[in-house]
Amino acid sequence: MSATSVRAAAAATPQEPRARNSTWRKLLRNRNVVVGSVLILLLVLTAAVAPWITPMDPLRQNIWESYTAPQGFFVDGAFNTQYVLGADELGRDLLSRLIMGTRVSLLVALIATAISLAGGVILGAIAGYVGGLVDNVIMRVMDVLLALPGILLAIAIVATFGPSIVNVMLAIAVVRIPAMARVVRSEVLALREEEFVEASRALGISPMRILFRHILLNAWAPALVIATLGMGTAIVAEASLSFLGLGTQPPQISWGRMLSVGREAIRSAPHVTLYPGLAITFTVLGFSLLGDGLRDVFDRRLADT
Amino acid sequence: MQKYRSWLAPVVLALTLLGLGTSLAQNDTLVIGTGAEITTLDPRIATDVPSFERIAVIMEPLVVFSRDLDLEPRLATSWEFAEDGSSLTFTLRDDVTFHDGSPFTSADVKHTFEWVLDPENGAQNRPLYEDIGSIDTPDEHTVVFNLDNLNSFLLNNIARMPIVPDGSGDDFGDNPVGTGPYMFDSLVRDDRLTVKAYENYWGGAPSIETLVFRPIPEDGTRLLAFEAGEIDVMQAQPVPAELPRIEEDERFVVDRSGGTGYTYVGMNVNSEPLNDVRVRQAISYLLPREAIVERIMNGIGQPGINMLSPEMAWFDSSTEGYSYDPERARELFAEAGVAEGTRIRLHTNENPVRMQLAEILEFELSQLGIELAVTIEEFGAFLERVQTTDDFDLFILGWSGQLDPDRAMIRQFTTDGSANYTKYSNPRVDELLNQGRLVDPTSQESLDLYFEAQAIVLEEAPYAYAFYTEEIALMHPYVGGWSVHPYGAATYQNAHLITKNQ
Amino acid sequence: MLQYIAQRIYSLVFILLGVSLIVFAMVHFAPGDPIRIMLGDDAEPQEVERLNQLYGFDQPAHIQYTRWLTRAVQGDLGQSIRQRVPVTELITERLGATVELAIASLLVAILIGVPLGVISAVRRNTWVDFGSMIAALVGVSAPNFWIGLILLANVALHVGWIPLFGRGPAFTEAITAAVTQGNFSLLWDSLRYLLLPAITLGTSIMALITRLTRASLLEVLGRDYVRTARAKGLIGWLVVYKHALRNALLPVVTIIGVQFGSLLGGSIVVEAVFAWPGVGRLIINSISQRDLPIVQGSVLMLAAVFALVNLLVDISYSFFNPRIRYA
C-alpha cells in the first residue's frame, strides 16, 4: 500500500485515560474497524482450533474420489461431514483443507509482516534520526528496491534460495521493507523536532533511548496501519508466487496453493478454486478494512473534520 | 451460443448485444493453439519440441516417422547402409525446390549436417550426429555419410534434422527458408507465428492459405480459447481434469494417439537408503498407477511398466512391471531395515501433474511411517540439481521422443550415460546397450539384447514408472485431413493435407 | 525547477546502477547453469566449457558485471543464449505491449476508482460509503490470476466479441489509423483485446485510488471556501465537482507514478493468464530457461521505465501545482 497516504500522527503524548477511552469509542464506532476485526477474529479463531474442527483428515487422499462435488451439510436429511465442500484433485476434503489452510496462510502473512515491520522500523528510524550520510545510504538502497516490481523481486529471491515456506515469507517481507522504512522515517523526521524530544535531549537522555522510548512509541500508529494492510498484501503475494509454482510446498496447505493447483479444473470443478479464492478474498478484505479503519481513527486531520 | 446460466448472465447478455456484428470465421486461415513459444526456427540449434513441430511445416528432413513410427521417405527416396556399416547413402528427390525457387540438392544436405557437426557453431544437437565422420556428394541427388562408428539408430537421428539451404548462416532463424508445404511469413514472439502456403510444394499445394500458431501458456486460457472457437486446433495436452467434459461435447473432436514418452520417479542409487535395491522396489510398489491414469490423468496415457513403450517392437510384452502393493512395499522396507520416521527428499518442478504425483507419493509413504520432504523447484534450478549434483534422493521427470530402445536406454542407464541422473551402474547393462547399437535393429539378436537389458533395469529399479504419455489434440469438426502424431515434433509434418470447411 | 530535474535525473542514474547490481547478483548466484540447461541431457563437459567461454560465463563475476554494464550503457544488452537474437530487440518488441497494458489498467482503475471515492466521501460514514469501499477493495483482495480466469470462463467465453487471449493491434497504431484514415475497426480490435486484461490488472490498484480520492476529497470539503460555497446554497454535487474535486485529485496524480511500478510487476501474472505478449512473459520464460542476458536486460529495462514514469509524473505534478517546494 502507499506510504504517501499515511500521514497519520499518533495521538498526543502522554495520553490521558479519558483520551484513551475516546480512542476505543472511535474504534468501536468505525464500521471498517468493526467489520474488519470481526472477519479477522473469526479467522484467528478458526486457525487456533483448526485441528479439532476439521470434519475429515485434510491430508487423507482418495484418488478415486477426486473432484467430488460439494455435498453440503445435509444429505438426505442427516447431518453430513463427508465432502461438505467437495474434494480436490486428489480426493481430499476441501473444507478440512480450507480450515487447516487458515493456519499456513495467516502464519505466512504474520511472519512476513513482522519481518518487514522490524526491518522497516529499524532502517527507517535510524535513517530518520541519524540523518546525513547514513540516511542517504539507507534511503537510496530502499529506492533501488522500490524501483524493482515487487513480485519480480520476490520471484528472484525464491528462485535463488529455493522455494520453501521460510523463503516465501522472507521474499514477501523484503519486498515490503522499503515502504515501511519510508513511512517510519518520515514520522521520525517529524517527531524529531517536537518539543518533548527537544526537551529530552536537553535533559541529556541518550539518543538511542530517545529514539526508542519516545519517538518510536509515537510512530507506531502509521506503522500499525501499514502492517495491517500488509497482512492482506502478503496473502495475495503468496497466492501469486503459488501461481508461478514458487509458493509453499506440500504437504503444507496454503490457500494460495489450493487456488493455483485447482485452477486447472476451473470449468469442470469450479468448487476447487471457488472456496480458497473466497477465503483469500475475505481475509484480505478483512485486513484492508481494518487497516483503513485504523487510519481513519488515528489520522488527526480526518478526525478533526 | 450455448445455454448459459449464471449470476453474470445479465452482464453477458448486455455485453453480447454491445458487440454484435464482430465475427471471426475465416476458411483460409487455420489457427493452432499451443502451449509453449518456440525458441528458434533454425533446426540446427533447436532442441525443444515446440520449435521442431513448427519448423516441420517449413522445412523437411530426409526421412520422417510415420504414425506407426516407421521411417518413411521424404526428401530422400531411398537409403542404404554399406555392407560393412562404414557408410550410409541417400538418394534424394529431384523435383523439390526451396521457397525461394532454388532447387534442393545434395549440397544442402551436406551443408546442414556439416554446420551442425562444426564445433564452432555450438549446435546443441551435435552429439546426435557425431558418428558421422564426413559427407560426400557424388552427384546432385546422392549423399553419402561416411561413418566413424556404426550406429544402427543413426537414421532415427537423421529423421530429426530438417534440411536448410546451402550457405545458411547464423541468422537463418530470422528468415527461414525450406522445402516444406508452408513458407515462413512472420513471427511475433509470444504472440503468433504466421506461415503461408507454398504453391509449388512437391507434395501438392496446401488447401489452407495461412496457418497461425498461437502460444498460450496458461492451460485454462488455452482450453477456453479453443472452446470459444478462437483457435481451431489445440494440440498441446489439454488439462486432464477437463478432458471428460470436452469428450462428451459434440461440438468438439478429441484425437488421441499413443505417445513416445513417460513420466517417472527417478532414484539416486548412491544416496541412503535408496542404495538398497529393496527400497527402490518398495517405492515402485507405492505408485497407484491405475488410479493415477484413471483419475489424475482422466484416462490420458497408460499405467507405466518400464522404460520402453508397449508399442515399441523391443518392448518385452511378458513384462508386468510393478503393481500398486503397499503391503509388499512395507515388507521390503522392513527387510531393508528402513525404520519409521526415515526421511527421504523428493524434488520436482512446477508441472501440475508432477506436483500431484509428488503429493501422492508423500501420502503413500506417510502411511508407512516414512517422511517424504517434497520440494517444488523452478525448472532451471531443478534440472541443474538433477543433472549436475548428487544432492537429491528422488525426483520426478519425464522422457519424450523415445522412438527406439537406444534413445530410451543408453543415455539413461549406462554408467557413463549423459542422462544417467540416478547414477545407475551395471556392467552387464552397459555391455548390452553398447552391443545393441552394432546389430541390425530388425534382427532377433537386437530383440534379445534389449529384452535382457530392460529386465535387469526393471528389477534394479533406478526408476519407478508412473505412466506412459499420450498425445492428444482437440479440434473443431470442420477441421479435416489431420490427426495427432505420437512423436510430438512430427505433428504437423503433413500440414499440406489439412482442410478447413467452416 | 531545472535544478530539481537535474537532481532527479542524477538519483535516477544511481537507482538504475543499484538495480543493475542487484539483478546481476541475483542472476549469477541463482542455481541453474544456463549452458547446461540449454544443452540438455546430451551435454558434453567440453561443450559446456566451450560455450561458457563463448558467453564469458567463465570470467570472474566483477569482470562479467563491468563488461555487461559498459555495454548496457551503450545500448547493447547482449544476445539471448537460446534464441541468438539481440536482447534489446526482444525487449523493445514487447515493451510496448506491457506499457500499453499498464496504462490501460491505470485508466480502468481511475475510471472506476475515482467515482467510488467521490461517492464514498460525499456519503461519508453511511452504508453507501462502506459499500463503495468494499467494491473497491474486492479487486485488490482477490488474486489477479483467479479474477482473470473467472472473467474468461464466465464472461468472455459466452460473449463472443471479447477475445480470450492475446493482443490486438497496437493501440498507438490503431488510434493513428482512426485519426488519419477514419478507420475505427483497428481501434475497436485493439480495445477489445485490452478490455479484460486491463480490468484484471486495474482492479488490483483501484482500492488505493478510491481510498486516496476519498481522503483528499474529505479534506478539501472541510476547507473554508468549500464550506462557504455550501453556505451560499450551492447544491452539493456542484460544489464537489466545481470546487473540491479538482483540488482533491492532485494527490491522486502523485501516486500514479508509484502504482505504475506495481502494475508493471502485476503484468507478469496477468500476461501469463491472457497470453499477452509482453515483457513479463519474456522474463518468466527466460528465468526458467536461464537465459541470463534476457533476464538481466529486461528487469533493468522495466526498472528504467518505472523510474522514468515516476520522474515525468513528479515533474508534471510540479507544473500543476506550483506551490510545491523542491527541497
Side-chain angles (χ1 to χ4, degrees), chain A residues 61 64 66 89-90 92 163 249 257 263-265 267-268, chain B residues 218-219 227 239 242 245 295-296 356 359 363 375-376:
Chain A
Q61 298 177 3
W64 296 103
S66 66
E89 74 283 358
L90 298 179
R92 295 172 295 204
Q249 306 286 302
R257 229 176 65 78
R263 77 180 194 272
E264 292 278 307
R267 295 260 288 140
S268 292
Chain B
E218 176 68 15
D219 293 341
E227 289 184 53
V239 187
E242 304 277 4
R245 185 173 60 80
R295 302 309 300 263
I296 304 292
Q356 287 169 10
E359 289 200 67
F363 174 72
T375 308
I376 312 292

PDB file of all heavy atoms in Angstrom, chain A residues 61 64 66 89-90 92 163 249 257 263-265 267-268, chain B residues 218-219 227 239 242 245 295-296 356 359 363 375-376:
ATOM      1  N   GLN A  61      -5.825 -38.906   1.292  1.00  0.00           N
ATOM      2  CA  GLN A  61      -6.129 -38.921  -0.134  1.00  0.00           C
ATOM      3  C   GLN A  61      -7.024 -40.099  -0.481  1.00  0.00           C
ATOM      4  O   GLN A  61      -6.913 -41.152   0.117  1.00  0.00           O
ATOM      5  CB  GLN A  61      -4.839 -39.051  -0.963  1.00  0.00           C
ATOM      6  CG  GLN A  61      -3.877 -37.906  -0.791  1.00  0.00           C
ATOM      7  CD  GLN A  61      -2.598 -38.112  -1.577  1.00  0.00           C
ATOM      8  OE1 GLN A  61      -2.452 -39.081  -2.293  1.00  0.00           O
ATOM      9  NE2 GLN A  61      -1.675 -37.180  -1.435  1.00  0.00           N
ATOM     10  N   TRP A  64      -9.679 -41.999  -6.067  1.00  0.00           N
ATOM     11  CA  TRP A  64     -10.907 -42.370  -6.774  1.00  0.00           C
ATOM     12  C   TRP A  64     -12.032 -41.391  -6.507  1.00  0.00           C
ATOM     13  O   TRP A  64     -13.038 -41.408  -7.211  1.00  0.00           O
ATOM     14  CB  TRP A  64     -11.311 -43.804  -6.408  1.00  0.00           C
ATOM     15  CG  TRP A  64     -10.282 -44.783  -6.876  1.00  0.00           C
ATOM     16  CD1 TRP A  64      -9.349 -45.412  -6.105  1.00  0.00           C
ATOM     17  CD2 TRP A  64     -10.044 -45.208  -8.218  1.00  0.00           C
ATOM     18  NE1 TRP A  64      -8.542 -46.202  -6.882  1.00  0.00           N
ATOM     19  CE2 TRP A  64      -8.950 -46.107  -8.194  1.00  0.00           C
ATOM     20  CE3 TRP A  64     -10.637 -44.934  -9.453  1.00  0.00           C
ATOM     21  CZ2 TRP A  64      -8.431 -46.719  -9.334  1.00  0.00           C
ATOM     22  CZ3 TRP A  64     -10.133 -45.540 -10.584  1.00  0.00           C
ATOM     23  CH2 TRP A  64      -9.042 -46.427 -10.525  1.00  0.00           C
ATOM     24  N   SER A  66     -11.574 -38.084  -6.565  1.00  0.00           N
ATOM     25  CA  SER A  66     -11.105 -36.755  -6.955  1.00  0.00           C
ATOM     26  C   SER A  66     -12.237 -35.925  -7.558  1.00  0.00           C
ATOM     27  O   SER A  66     -13.093 -36.443  -8.275  1.00  0.00           O
ATOM     28  CB  SER A  66      -9.958 -36.884  -7.947  1.00  0.00           C
ATOM     29  OG  SER A  66     -10.400 -37.447  -9.151  1.00  0.00           O
ATOM     30  N   GLU A  89      -8.276 -32.393  -6.211  1.00  0.00           N
ATOM     31  CA  GLU A  89      -7.846 -33.264  -7.303  1.00  0.00           C
ATOM     32  C   GLU A  89      -7.347 -34.612  -6.812  1.00  0.00           C
ATOM     33  O   GLU A  89      -7.281 -35.568  -7.582  1.00  0.00           O
ATOM     34  CB  GLU A  89      -6.798 -32.554  -8.163  1.00  0.00           C
ATOM     35  CG  GLU A  89      -5.408 -32.417  -7.540  1.00  0.00           C
ATOM     36  CD  GLU A  89      -5.316 -31.315  -6.497  1.00  0.00           C
ATOM     37  OE1 GLU A  89      -6.320 -30.611  -6.277  1.00  0.00           O
ATOM     38  OE2 GLU A  89      -4.250 -31.170  -5.882  1.00  0.00           O
ATOM     39  N   LEU A  90      -6.968 -34.709  -5.535  1.00  0.00           N
ATOM     40  CA  LEU A  90      -6.523 -35.999  -5.009  1.00  0.00           C
ATOM     41  C   LEU A  90      -7.557 -36.612  -4.079  1.00  0.00           C
ATOM     42  O   LEU A  90      -7.256 -37.503  -3.297  1.00  0.00           O
ATOM     43  CB  LEU A  90      -5.179 -35.843  -4.282  1.00  0.00           C
ATOM     44  CG  LEU A  90      -4.010 -35.355  -5.155  1.00  0.00           C
ATOM     45  CD1 LEU A  90      -2.740 -35.221  -4.332  1.00  0.00           C
ATOM     46  CD2 LEU A  90      -3.780 -36.305  -6.318  1.00  0.00           C
ATOM     47  N   ARG A  92      -9.088 -35.181  -1.545  1.00  0.00           N
ATOM     48  CA  ARG A  92      -9.012 -34.745  -0.150  1.00  0.00           C
ATOM     49  C   ARG A  92     -10.164 -33.783   0.126  1.00  0.00           C
ATOM     50  O   ARG A  92     -10.615 -33.064  -0.768  1.00  0.00           O
ATOM     51  CB  ARG A  92      -7.672 -34.063   0.120  1.00  0.00           C
ATOM     52  CG  ARG A  92      -6.502 -35.016  -0.029  1.00  0.00           C
ATOM     53  CD  ARG A  92      -5.180 -34.291   0.041  1.00  0.00           C
ATOM     54  NE  ARG A  92      -5.027 -33.372  -1.086  1.00  0.00           N
ATOM     55  CZ  ARG A  92      -3.845 -32.957  -1.539  1.00  0.00           C
ATOM     56  NH1 ARG A  92      -2.723 -33.362  -0.963  1.00  0.00           N
ATOM     57  NH2 ARG A  92      -3.772 -32.115  -2.543  1.00  0.00           N
ATOM     58  N   PRO A 163      12.412 -22.622  -3.208  1.00  0.00           N
ATOM     59  CA  PRO A 163      11.110 -22.384  -2.625  1.00  0.00           C
ATOM     60  C   PRO A 163      10.926 -23.161  -1.323  1.00  0.00           C
ATOM     61  O   PRO A 163      11.212 -24.350  -1.269  1.00  0.00           O
ATOM     62  CB  PRO A 163      10.147 -22.895  -3.694  1.00  0.00           C
ATOM     63  CG  PRO A 163      10.918 -23.883  -4.475  1.00  0.00           C
ATOM     64  CD  PRO A 163      12.367 -23.567  -4.333  1.00  0.00           C
ATOM     65  N   GLN A 249       5.248 -25.359   0.001  1.00  0.00           N
ATOM     66  CA  GLN A 249       5.430 -26.712  -0.539  1.00  0.00           C
ATOM     67  C   GLN A 249       4.487 -27.716   0.124  1.00  0.00           C
ATOM     68  O   GLN A 249       4.156 -27.579   1.283  1.00  0.00           O
ATOM     69  CB  GLN A 249       6.876 -27.161  -0.264  1.00  0.00           C
ATOM     70  CG  GLN A 249       7.909 -26.191  -0.784  1.00  0.00           C
ATOM     71  CD  GLN A 249       8.013 -26.265  -2.285  1.00  0.00           C
ATOM     72  OE1 GLN A 249       8.289 -27.304  -2.847  1.00  0.00           O
ATOM     73  NE2 GLN A 249       7.764 -25.150  -2.957  1.00  0.00           N
ATOM     74  N   ARG A 257      -1.838 -22.087  -2.693  1.00  0.00           N
ATOM     75  CA  ARG A 257      -1.517 -23.284  -3.438  1.00  0.00           C
ATOM     76  C   ARG A 257      -2.785 -24.014  -3.870  1.00  0.00           C
ATOM     77  O   ARG A 257      -2.874 -24.533  -4.976  1.00  0.00           O
ATOM     78  CB  ARG A 257      -0.627 -24.205  -2.607  1.00  0.00           C
ATOM     79  CG  ARG A 257       0.607 -24.683  -3.373  1.00  0.00           C
ATOM     80  CD  ARG A 257       1.508 -25.499  -2.492  1.00  0.00           C
ATOM     81  NE  ARG A 257       0.890 -26.737  -2.074  1.00  0.00           N
ATOM     82  CZ  ARG A 257       0.786 -27.815  -2.855  1.00  0.00           C
ATOM     83  NH1 ARG A 257       1.269 -27.792  -4.065  1.00  0.00           N
ATOM     84  NH2 ARG A 257       0.199 -28.902  -2.423  1.00  0.00           N
ATOM     85  N   ARG A 263      -6.868 -24.333 -10.265  1.00  0.00           N
ATOM     86  CA  ARG A 263      -7.287 -23.554 -11.437  1.00  0.00           C
ATOM     87  C   ARG A 263      -7.286 -24.393 -12.707  1.00  0.00           C
ATOM     88  O   ARG A 263      -7.933 -24.060 -13.687  1.00  0.00           O
ATOM     89  CB  ARG A 263      -6.407 -22.330 -11.611  1.00  0.00           C
ATOM     90  CG  ARG A 263      -5.034 -22.622 -12.198  1.00  0.00           C
ATOM     91  CD  ARG A 263      -4.260 -21.328 -12.329  1.00  0.00           C
ATOM     92  NE  ARG A 263      -3.087 -21.452 -13.166  1.00  0.00           N
ATOM     93  CZ  ARG A 263      -1.889 -21.815 -12.742  1.00  0.00           C
ATOM     94  NH1 ARG A 263      -1.696 -22.123 -11.475  1.00  0.00           N
ATOM     95  NH2 ARG A 263      -0.864 -21.871 -13.558  1.00  0.00           N
ATOM     96  N   GLU A 264      -6.556 -25.515 -12.689  1.00  0.00           N
ATOM     97  CA  GLU A 264      -6.531 -26.400 -13.843  1.00  0.00           C
ATOM     98  C   GLU A 264      -7.942 -26.870 -14.194  1.00  0.00           C
ATOM     99  O   GLU A 264      -8.234 -27.138 -15.351  1.00  0.00           O
ATOM    100  CB  GLU A 264      -5.658 -27.625 -13.539  1.00  0.00           C
ATOM    101  CG  GLU A 264      -4.191 -27.297 -13.395  1.00  0.00           C
ATOM    102  CD  GLU A 264      -3.498 -27.201 -14.737  1.00  0.00           C
ATOM    103  OE1 GLU A 264      -3.621 -28.150 -15.511  1.00  0.00           O
ATOM    104  OE2 GLU A 264      -2.861 -26.184 -15.011  1.00  0.00           O
ATOM    105  N   ALA A 265      -8.772 -27.017 -13.182  1.00  0.00           N
ATOM    106  CA  ALA A 265     -10.105 -27.572 -13.422  1.00  0.00           C
ATOM    107  C   ALA A 265     -11.183 -26.518 -13.223  1.00  0.00           C
ATOM    108  O   ALA A 265     -12.270 -26.810 -12.747  1.00  0.00           O
ATOM    109  CB  ALA A 265     -10.345 -28.757 -12.489  1.00  0.00           C
ATOM    110  N   ARG A 267     -13.261 -25.089 -15.004  1.00  0.00           N
ATOM    111  CA  ARG A 267     -14.576 -25.254 -15.636  1.00  0.00           C
ATOM    112  C   ARG A 267     -15.294 -26.512 -15.150  1.00  0.00           C
ATOM    113  O   ARG A 267     -16.477 -26.476 -14.859  1.00  0.00           O
ATOM    114  CB  ARG A 267     -14.408 -25.328 -17.156  1.00  0.00           C
ATOM    115  CG  ARG A 267     -13.894 -24.048 -17.742  1.00  0.00           C
ATOM    116  CD  ARG A 267     -14.987 -23.209 -18.344  1.00  0.00           C
ATOM    117  NE  ARG A 267     -15.491 -23.775 -19.575  1.00  0.00           N
ATOM    118  CZ  ARG A 267     -16.778 -23.790 -19.912  1.00  0.00           C
ATOM    119  NH1 ARG A 267     -17.671 -23.295 -19.104  1.00  0.00           N
ATOM    120  NH2 ARG A 267     -17.145 -24.303 -21.059  1.00  0.00           N
ATOM    121  N   SER A 268     -14.570 -27.625 -15.067  1.00  0.00           N
ATOM    122  CA  SER A 268     -15.234 -28.878 -14.690  1.00  0.00           C
ATOM    123  C   SER A 268     -15.481 -28.979 -13.193  1.00  0.00           C
ATOM    124  O   SER A 268     -16.439 -29.602 -12.763  1.00  0.00           O
ATOM    125  CB  SER A 268     -14.387 -30.077 -15.122  1.00  0.00           C
ATOM    126  OG  SER A 268     -14.355 -30.162 -16.516  1.00  0.00           O
TER     127      SER A 268
ATOM    128  N   GLU B 218      -1.037 -20.419 -20.345  1.00  0.00           N
ATOM    129  CA  GLU B 218      -1.923 -20.845 -19.269  1.00  0.00           C
ATOM    130  C   GLU B 218      -2.899 -21.903 -19.789  1.00  0.00           C
ATOM    131  O   GLU B 218      -3.670 -21.661 -20.717  1.00  0.00           O
ATOM    132  CB  GLU B 218      -2.667 -19.627 -18.717  1.00  0.00           C
ATOM    133  CG  GLU B 218      -3.697 -19.923 -17.645  1.00  0.00           C
ATOM    134  CD  GLU B 218      -3.089 -20.400 -16.335  1.00  0.00           C
ATOM    135  OE1 GLU B 218      -1.868 -20.228 -16.153  1.00  0.00           O
ATOM    136  OE2 GLU B 218      -3.823 -20.968 -15.516  1.00  0.00           O
ATOM    137  N   ASP B 219      -2.873 -23.104 -19.151  1.00  0.00           N
ATOM    138  CA  ASP B 219      -3.690 -24.221 -19.638  1.00  0.00           C
ATOM    139  C   ASP B 219      -5.165 -23.864 -19.753  1.00  0.00           C
ATOM    140  O   ASP B 219      -5.816 -24.164 -20.745  1.00  0.00           O
ATOM    141  CB  ASP B 219      -3.546 -25.430 -18.697  1.00  0.00           C
ATOM    142  CG  ASP B 219      -2.147 -26.010 -18.743  1.00  0.00           C
ATOM    143  OD1 ASP B 219      -1.429 -25.738 -19.724  1.00  0.00           O
ATOM    144  OD2 ASP B 219      -1.769 -26.721 -17.795  1.00  0.00           O
ATOM    145  N   GLU B 227     -12.531 -23.608 -26.845  1.00  0.00           N
ATOM    146  CA  GLU B 227     -13.988 -23.762 -26.732  1.00  0.00           C
ATOM    147  C   GLU B 227     -14.719 -22.608 -27.380  1.00  0.00           C
ATOM    148  O   GLU B 227     -15.779 -22.766 -27.959  1.00  0.00           O
ATOM    149  CB  GLU B 227     -14.390 -23.857 -25.256  1.00  0.00           C
ATOM    150  CG  GLU B 227     -13.979 -25.164 -24.605  1.00  0.00           C
ATOM    151  CD  GLU B 227     -14.478 -25.246 -23.175  1.00  0.00           C
ATOM    152  OE1 GLU B 227     -15.681 -25.049 -22.957  1.00  0.00           O
ATOM    153  OE2 GLU B 227     -13.647 -25.494 -22.267  1.00  0.00           O
ATOM    154  N   VAL B 239      -5.923 -29.904 -20.271  1.00  0.00           N
ATOM    155  CA  VAL B 239      -5.911 -30.204 -18.854  1.00  0.00           C
ATOM    156  C   VAL B 239      -6.646 -31.525 -18.641  1.00  0.00           C
ATOM    157  O   VAL B 239      -7.787 -31.664 -19.053  1.00  0.00           O
ATOM    158  CB  VAL B 239      -6.649 -29.097 -18.105  1.00  0.00           C
ATOM    159  CG1 VAL B 239      -6.510 -29.285 -16.622  1.00  0.00           C
ATOM    160  CG2 VAL B 239      -6.146 -27.744 -18.540  1.00  0.00           C
ATOM    161  N   GLU B 242     -10.259 -31.533 -17.425  1.00  0.00           N
ATOM    162  CA  GLU B 242     -11.335 -31.026 -18.276  1.00  0.00           C
ATOM    163  C   GLU B 242     -11.648 -31.969 -19.436  1.00  0.00           C
ATOM    164  O   GLU B 242     -12.604 -31.767 -20.172  1.00  0.00           O
ATOM    165  CB  GLU B 242     -10.955 -29.646 -18.842  1.00  0.00           C
ATOM    166  CG  GLU B 242     -10.604 -28.608 -17.784  1.00  0.00           C
ATOM    167  CD  GLU B 242     -11.838 -27.938 -17.184  1.00  0.00           C
ATOM    168  OE1 GLU B 242     -12.964 -28.337 -17.527  1.00  0.00           O
ATOM    169  OE2 GLU B 242     -11.675 -27.020 -16.362  1.00  0.00           O
ATOM    170  N   ARG B 245     -15.207 -33.716 -19.981  1.00  0.00           N
ATOM    171  CA  ARG B 245     -16.237 -32.762 -20.389  1.00  0.00           C
ATOM    172  C   ARG B 245     -16.135 -32.471 -21.888  1.00  0.00           C
ATOM    173  O   ARG B 245     -17.139 -32.437 -22.607  1.00  0.00           O
ATOM    174  CB  ARG B 245     -16.049 -31.463 -19.590  1.00  0.00           C
ATOM    175  CG  ARG B 245     -17.107 -30.424 -19.819  1.00  0.00           C
ATOM    176  CD  ARG B 245     -16.920 -29.266 -18.859  1.00  0.00           C
ATOM    177  NE  ARG B 245     -15.620 -28.608 -19.021  1.00  0.00           N
ATOM    178  CZ  ARG B 245     -15.367 -27.722 -19.976  1.00  0.00           C
ATOM    179  NH1 ARG B 245     -16.301 -27.404 -20.825  1.00  0.00           N
ATOM    180  NH2 ARG B 245     -14.177 -27.172 -20.070  1.00  0.00           N
ATOM    181  N   ARG B 295      -7.852 -41.264 -12.772  1.00  0.00           N
ATOM    182  CA  ARG B 295      -8.444 -40.079 -12.153  1.00  0.00           C
ATOM    183  C   ARG B 295      -7.596 -38.814 -12.258  1.00  0.00           C
ATOM    184  O   ARG B 295      -8.128 -37.731 -12.409  1.00  0.00           O
ATOM    185  CB  ARG B 295      -8.775 -40.345 -10.671  1.00  0.00           C
ATOM    186  CG  ARG B 295      -9.710 -41.507 -10.463  1.00  0.00           C
ATOM    187  CD  ARG B 295     -10.971 -41.411 -11.345  1.00  0.00           C
ATOM    188  NE  ARG B 295     -11.765 -40.227 -11.115  1.00  0.00           N
ATOM    189  CZ  ARG B 295     -12.818 -40.184 -10.331  1.00  0.00           C
ATOM    190  NH1 ARG B 295     -13.210 -41.252  -9.678  1.00  0.00           N
ATOM    191  NH2 ARG B 295     -13.494 -39.060 -10.179  1.00  0.00           N
ATOM    192  N   ILE B 296      -6.295 -38.948 -12.125  1.00  0.00           N
ATOM    193  CA  ILE B 296      -5.459 -37.747 -12.229  1.00  0.00           C
ATOM    194  C   ILE B 296      -5.300 -37.357 -13.696  1.00  0.00           C
ATOM    195  O   ILE B 296      -5.434 -36.211 -14.082  1.00  0.00           O
ATOM    196  CB  ILE B 296      -4.053 -37.995 -11.620  1.00  0.00           C
ATOM    197  CG1 ILE B 296      -4.163 -38.456 -10.171  1.00  0.00           C
ATOM    198  CG2 ILE B 296      -3.196 -36.750 -11.733  1.00  0.00           C
ATOM    199  CD1 ILE B 296      -4.668 -37.431  -9.234  1.00  0.00           C
ATOM    200  N   GLN B 356       1.256 -33.311  -8.375  1.00  0.00           N
ATOM    201  CA  GLN B 356       0.264 -34.230  -7.823  1.00  0.00           C
ATOM    202  C   GLN B 356       0.901 -35.587  -7.521  1.00  0.00           C
ATOM    203  O   GLN B 356       0.639 -36.176  -6.477  1.00  0.00           O
ATOM    204  CB  GLN B 356      -0.908 -34.385  -8.794  1.00  0.00           C
ATOM    205  CG  GLN B 356      -1.781 -33.143  -8.819  1.00  0.00           C
ATOM    206  CD  GLN B 356      -2.787 -33.150  -9.948  1.00  0.00           C
ATOM    207  OE1 GLN B 356      -2.978 -34.142 -10.630  1.00  0.00           O
ATOM    208  NE2 GLN B 356      -3.431 -32.019 -10.155  1.00  0.00           N
ATOM    209  N   GLU B 359       2.693 -35.374  -4.332  1.00  0.00           N
ATOM    210  CA  GLU B 359       1.810 -35.404  -3.165  1.00  0.00           C
ATOM    211  C   GLU B 359       1.276 -36.805  -2.900  1.00  0.00           C
ATOM    212  O   GLU B 359       1.106 -37.216  -1.759  1.00  0.00           O
ATOM    213  CB  GLU B 359       0.647 -34.426  -3.351  1.00  0.00           C
ATOM    214  CG  GLU B 359       1.089 -32.984  -3.263  1.00  0.00           C
ATOM    215  CD  GLU B 359      -0.065 -32.058  -2.975  1.00  0.00           C
ATOM    216  OE1 GLU B 359      -0.622 -32.143  -1.869  1.00  0.00           O
ATOM    217  OE2 GLU B 359      -0.419 -31.252  -3.854  1.00  0.00           O
ATOM    218  N   PHE B 363       1.959 -38.966   0.480  1.00  0.00           N
ATOM    219  CA  PHE B 363       0.900 -39.566   1.286  1.00  0.00           C
ATOM    220  C   PHE B 363       1.122 -41.070   1.468  1.00  0.00           C
ATOM    221  O   PHE B 363       1.033 -41.601   2.576  1.00  0.00           O
ATOM    222  CB  PHE B 363      -0.458 -39.302   0.624  1.00  0.00           C
ATOM    223  CG  PHE B 363      -1.604 -40.009   1.291  1.00  0.00           C
ATOM    224  CD1 PHE B 363      -2.055 -39.584   2.534  1.00  0.00           C
ATOM    225  CD2 PHE B 363      -2.221 -41.096   0.698  1.00  0.00           C
ATOM    226  CE1 PHE B 363      -3.098 -40.241   3.168  1.00  0.00           C
ATOM    227  CE2 PHE B 363      -3.268 -41.756   1.317  1.00  0.00           C
ATOM    228  CZ  PHE B 363      -3.706 -41.325   2.556  1.00  0.00           C
ATOM    229  N   THR B 375      10.097 -30.869  -2.457  1.00  0.00           N
ATOM    230  CA  THR B 375      10.464 -29.513  -2.843  1.00  0.00           C
ATOM    231  C   THR B 375      10.106 -29.302  -4.303  1.00  0.00           C
ATOM    232  O   THR B 375      10.577 -30.027  -5.168  1.00  0.00           O
ATOM    233  CB  THR B 375      11.975 -29.265  -2.670  1.00  0.00           C
ATOM    234  OG1 THR B 375      12.346 -29.649  -1.356  1.00  0.00           O
ATOM    235  CG2 THR B 375      12.307 -27.801  -2.885  1.00  0.00           C
ATOM    236  N   ILE B 376       9.233 -28.328  -4.546  1.00  0.00           N
ATOM    237  CA  ILE B 376       8.901 -27.966  -5.923  1.00  0.00           C
ATOM    238  C   ILE B 376       9.841 -26.832  -6.301  1.00  0.00           C
ATOM    239  O   ILE B 376       9.792 -25.757  -5.727  1.00  0.00           O
ATOM    240  CB  ILE B 376       7.454 -27.455  -6.046  1.00  0.00           C
ATOM    241  CG1 ILE B 376       6.465 -28.383  -5.348  1.00  0.00           C
ATOM    242  CG2 ILE B 376       7.101 -27.232  -7.513  1.00  0.00           C
ATOM    243  CD1 ILE B 376       6.299 -29.714  -5.977  1.00  0.00           C
TER     244      ILE B 376
END
